[in-house]
Amino acid sequence: MRLREDEMKALETYRFSSKETDVSSSMLFSRLIEDDEQLASYVAHVRAEMGAANDAVAASMFVKRLSFLAPMTLYAMSVWNKRLVLNPGRIWLDTDGEGETWMPRFHLEPPEAEACRGERRRWREQVVRDVFAGLFAPLVAKLRRLTRVSPLILWENIAIYVYWVYDRWLEDESLAPIADRLRDDFHFLVYEADGRLFGQKDNPLRRFFKGASGMQRTTCCLYVQTNGGTCCQTCPIRARQRQTG
């Protein structure tokens, strides 16, 4: 079924776009994971836009911004009990620019979702597989090979947004009626989901989660190596500096 207008509006928080795709300034996700030349060209574009020190830094910034696809998908899953149709051949990255530093929006063509029917646990597994194993895993693997960036950095870029949005949703009073479902979905994502749902041997969300210790990262996202970039508040470099005085 097609997403309703109010649903598309809600997903704009996670950089969803309902505007008609302009192919001159957009890129299909499928081209990035199927064509090495297209991906290398895109990384070069990000490097130039952000003044990244090298391709590995650009790859990290690329995935960090692309990571909004995960909260967008998980919001539909946890809040609406809907599974976004995420075929890579229908996801457009719109980078026409709004005065921002390379911050793409995502256009699904067409914007459709399927309501949960039947046993929710299996349905939930498919949602997780769609976004992580279907989209991020092949992209991370290609970026690792093309730029030599550590896949740990890329997966933590994705994981940190997942932790953050579930924290926000659980604090949102309007979502209080479904708080139990939000907690159950987050627990599944971090503690129960098999690595295969992420296209990995092990669950990357479990690897980086530090529980009550908050959002402190294990890896540096490399933003500090971009034009005007600094260490993020959760950066391990900043944490080490605090410890050493």
Side-chain angles (χ1 to χ4, degrees):
M1 68 181 74
R2 190 176 181 88
L3 289 174
R4 302 192 309 263
E5 290 295 327
D6 62 311
E7 291 174 333
M8 290 190 283
K9 184 68 176 178
L11 292 182
E12 287 179 2
T13 300
Y14 311 106
R15 305 206 63 78
F16 174 87
S17 174
S18 58
K19 295 180 180 178
E20 186 175 347
T21 299
D22 180 356
V23 296
S24 67
S25 60
S26 301
M27 172 67 71
L28 267 177
F29 196 101
S30 59
R31 293 177 186 165
L32 297 175
I33 59 177
E34 295 170 2
D35 189 324
D36 286 0
E37 289 187 8
Q38 290 275 12
L39 181 57
S41 176
Y42 212 82
V43 169
H45 171 68
V46 176
R47 180 175 178 177
E49 285 287 316
M50 301 198 67
N54 52 52
D55 285 349
V57 175
S60 179
M61 295 301 98
F62 176 32
V63 171
K64 196 171 184 180
R65 283 152 175 75
L66 207 66
S67 295
F68 277 93
L69 273 170
M72 187 171 76
T73 303
L74 297 174
Y75 185 88
M77 177 187 83
S78 291
V79 177
W80 302 330
N81 257 341
K82 290 187 176 183
R83 171 182 166 228
L84 295 181
V85 179
L86 292 176
N87 186 305
R90 61 197 292 168
I91 302 173
W92 288 89
L93 279 64
D94 182 0
T95 55
D96 61 359
E98 298 175 359
E100 300 171 282
T101 303
W102 198 80
M103 186 69 78
R105 291 188 177 273
F106 311 109
H107 180 76
L108 307 184
E109 201 169 85
E112 294 180 331
E114 298 172 354
C116 175
R117 293 185 177 87
E119 205 275 303
R120 190 174 188 274
R121 185 177 181 88
R122 286 192 177 184
W123 173 86
R124 179 173 62 184
E125 288 180 349
Q126 187 58 52
V127 176
V128 175
R129 184 182 291 110
D130 285 349
V131 66
F132 293 108
L135 300 181
F136 287 114
L139 182 65
V140 167
K142 279 187 173 288
L143 287 171
R144 177 187 187 182
R145 181 166 52 82
L146 288 172
T147 71
R148 300 186 181 277
V149 66
S150 167
L152 296 180
I153 293 174
L154 305 186
W155 278 112
E156 190 165 22
N157 287 350
I158 301 163
I160 204 77
Y161 281 123
V162 175
Y163 310 151
W164 175 65
V165 292
Y166 274 95
D167 270 354
R168 285 189 61 193
W169 297 338
L170 284 166
E171 292 172 356
D172 187 339
E173 292 184 2
S174 70
L175 298 179
I178 60 166
D180 287 343
R181 186 164 76 216
L182 291 169
R183 292 190 191 95
D184 183 62
D185 283 350
F186 185 71
H187 188 274
F188 171 78
L189 285 162
V190 174
Y191 295 108
E192 300 176 27
D194 189 274
R196 287 172 293 184
L197 298 181
F198 299 86
Q200 306 294 298
K201 180 180 178 181
D202 299 308
N203 178 340
L205 299 188
R206 185 184 307 131
R207 179 186 186 108
F208 297 110
F209 188 60
K210 299 178 178 62
S213 63
M215 298 292 110
Q216 180 63 54
R217 288 184 62 119
T218 300
T219 67
C220 173
C221 74
L222 308 179
Y223 177 61
V224 69
Q225 296 185 49
T226 64
N227 185 29
T230 60
C231 284
C232 306
Q233 289 297 321
T234 59
C235 183
I237 295 176
R238 186 187 289 266
R240 287 195 294 269
Q241 290 173 342
R242 288 195 295 267
Q243 291 172 357
T244 58

